[in-house]
Amino acid sequence: MEKEPQLCDMIREKAGEMYFRLGFKGVTLDDIAQEMCISKKTIYQHYANKNELIAAVAGTLMQMIFTEIDTIAGSGYNAIEELFEIRKFLRKTIEDKYQLATFQLKKFFPEVSVKLNNSKFDRMQYCITNNLIKGIAEGLFRKDINIDFVSRIYFTGISGTKDTNIFPDELFSMDALHLLFLEYHLRAICTPEGITLLDNYLKENP
């Protein structure tokens, strides 16, 4: 039986709405079916199980995020401004809204989480590599940095800031933590010209 693309998308969108509002753990396929006034059997015609549906929902969100990041990267910002604009987008769009769902994905659906994290690493390394190349060409980042190393360290650092055992909420808000990490990253790779631009940016955008 051929799947109906429209219904398949509608199921994914409704599931995403419910997952990100209530968490991945608490929402069952029965809940989604009831909300859509369809049978659970209909969901199974499009998604083999809950894990497959969760992977589709999370994958769609990730694609949306990186499409917007690509748009920001092509908007004419210099390499330093670009990273801050991406941070603004992520802070405004996803950090608080999807925090519960992200935590539950890692805890209760580890196989899905690992696959998505691998995909996230590939996309983020691509974005950061391009940012580093741009910054070097603009004279804002040092020419002697190891791009492959820095791009991997950046991913590791961003991922590490989400570990509340190391960075407890009572010591660091997520927004402040990401700003601290971004400044740490930039001061490690900037040329004197880049440091001046960074300092001016931070003064103008407290």
Side-chain angles (χ1 to χ4, degrees):
M1 178 180 177
E2 187 176 351
K3 296 181 180 180
E4 304 170 51
Q6 187 175 8
L7 181 56
C8 185
D9 293 342
M10 289 171 63
I11 293 169
R12 189 189 66 244
E13 289 172 9
K14 175 56 68 175
E17 174 192 316
M18 296 176 71
Y19 287 149
F20 295 130
R21 179 163 44 90
L22 303 170
F24 286 116
K25 178 67 173 175
V27 177
T28 66
L29 295 184
D30 284 315
D31 294 330
I32 297 167
Q34 183 176 358
E35 186 78 10
M36 296 186 69
C37 298
I38 61 176
S39 68
K40 188 163 69 171
K41 182 180 178 181
T42 300
I43 295 179
Y44 280 128
Q45 290 173 349
H46 297 273
Y47 299 97
N49 50 50
K50 183 174 180 177
N51 277 20
E52 186 175 302
L53 179 54
I54 288 174
V57 167
T60 298
L61 173 63
M62 186 179 299
Q63 182 59 45
M64 179 275 291
I65 290 169
F66 280 104
T67 296
E68 182 61 27
I69 288 174
D70 289 342
T71 299
I72 293 170
S75 297
Y77 297 107
N78 65 52
I80 292 175
E81 292 170 334
E82 179 182 300
L83 291 178
F84 281 102
E85 289 300 315
I86 291 171
R87 172 183 170 269
K88 287 179 187 177
F89 159 68
L90 294 176
R91 180 181 60 179
K92 180 176 67 176
T93 308
I94 68 167
E95 291 299 346
D96 293 332
K97 185 176 180 181
Y98 303 124
Q99 194 169 7
L100 172 63
T102 301
F103 169 79
Q104 290 192 349
L105 184 66
K106 185 176 181 180
K107 183 174 181 179
F108 298 111
F109 305 93
E111 291 183 8
V112 177
S113 180
V114 167
K115 289 180 181 178
L116 287 170
N117 205 49
N118 289 339
S119 177
K120 180 181 176 182
F121 169 75
D122 291 337
R123 291 297 305 273
M124 185 176 287
Q125 189 179 30
Y126 172 81
C127 293
I128 293 301
T129 295
N130 286 344
N131 178 264
L132 293 170
I133 293 171
K134 176 192 285 189
I136 292 171
E138 293 171 337
L140 300 177
F141 299 161
R142 301 194 329 265
K143 293 180 179 179
D144 62 343
I145 60 176
N146 184 313
I147 290 177
D148 192 48
F149 172 78
V150 173
S151 65
R152 291 168 187 271
I153 282 291
Y154 187 88
F155 178 83
T156 302
I158 283 290
S159 301
T161 59
K162 294 179 172 60
D163 188 338
T164 54
N165 291 318
I166 299 174
F167 298 100
D169 294 337
E170 58 268 24
L171 290 181
F172 303 96
S173 71
M174 188 60 67
D175 185 45
L177 191 58
H178 285 178
L179 179 58
L180 286 169
F181 176 78
L182 181 53
E183 183 178 354
Y184 175 86
H185 165 73
L186 287 169
R187 290 194 184 281
I189 65 173
C190 277
T191 61
E193 180 183 349
I195 292 293
T196 299
L197 193 153
L198 172 62
D199 287 338
N200 290 337
Y201 183 93
L202 292 174
K203 287 177 184 177
E204 295 169 5
N205 299 272

